[in-house]
Amino acid sequence: LTEVLNDHSPFGGTIVYDGMVYFIDFMSDSEGLYSVALNNPGKRNMLYEGRVMSIHIFDSQWIYFTDDKEVLYRITRDGKTLEKVFG
């Protein structure tokens, strides 16, 4: 896990669930919410591009997060469905 996190400059919230690491990256050229499979740490997937401040709740389908304007969103674990929840 430490190797995955060190390789991908994570900041903010980090969640490990079902063989995946979900994290916020402020340091790369493309800020956002990413996922990395523990069994394939060399391939990270961008789920959401933009400033993500924190991850609030995680369940089996959704990742909940806020942006820099304190808007609450939820996105599916595969990044295909994004919904504004509040704000």
Side-chain angles (χ1 to χ4, degrees):
L1 178 60
T2 301
E3 179 181 327
V4 171
L5 298 180
N6 286 339
D7 287 346
H8 299 293
S9 304
F11 290 87
T14 301
I15 297 170
V16 179
Y17 180 81
D18 197 26
M20 299 292 290
V21 178
Y22 300 90
F23 62 91
I24 300 165
D25 189 341
F26 292 124
M27 298 299 290
S28 69
D29 291 336
S30 298
E31 294 181 25
L33 179 62
Y34 290 86
S35 66
V36 173
L38 287 172
N39 65 358
N40 188 9
K43 182 177 185 322
R44 74 184 201 167
N45 301 299
M46 177 179 274
L47 302 177
Y48 174 83
E49 185 173 6
R51 177 64 59 105
V52 176
M53 301 309 291
S54 61
I55 301 171
H56 293 285
I57 303 169
F58 185 79
D59 62 32
S60 63
Q61 184 178 1
W62 297 97
I63 300 167
Y64 293 78
F65 66 93
T66 56
D67 66 7
D68 58 341
K69 295 177 177 57
E70 298 183 4
V71 176
L72 178 64
Y73 292 94
R74 69 182 189 169
I75 193 166
T76 51
R77 291 174 45 200
D78 61 9
K80 293 182 179 179
T81 304
L82 174 69
E83 297 178 355
K84 183 177 175 180
V85 176
F86 182 80

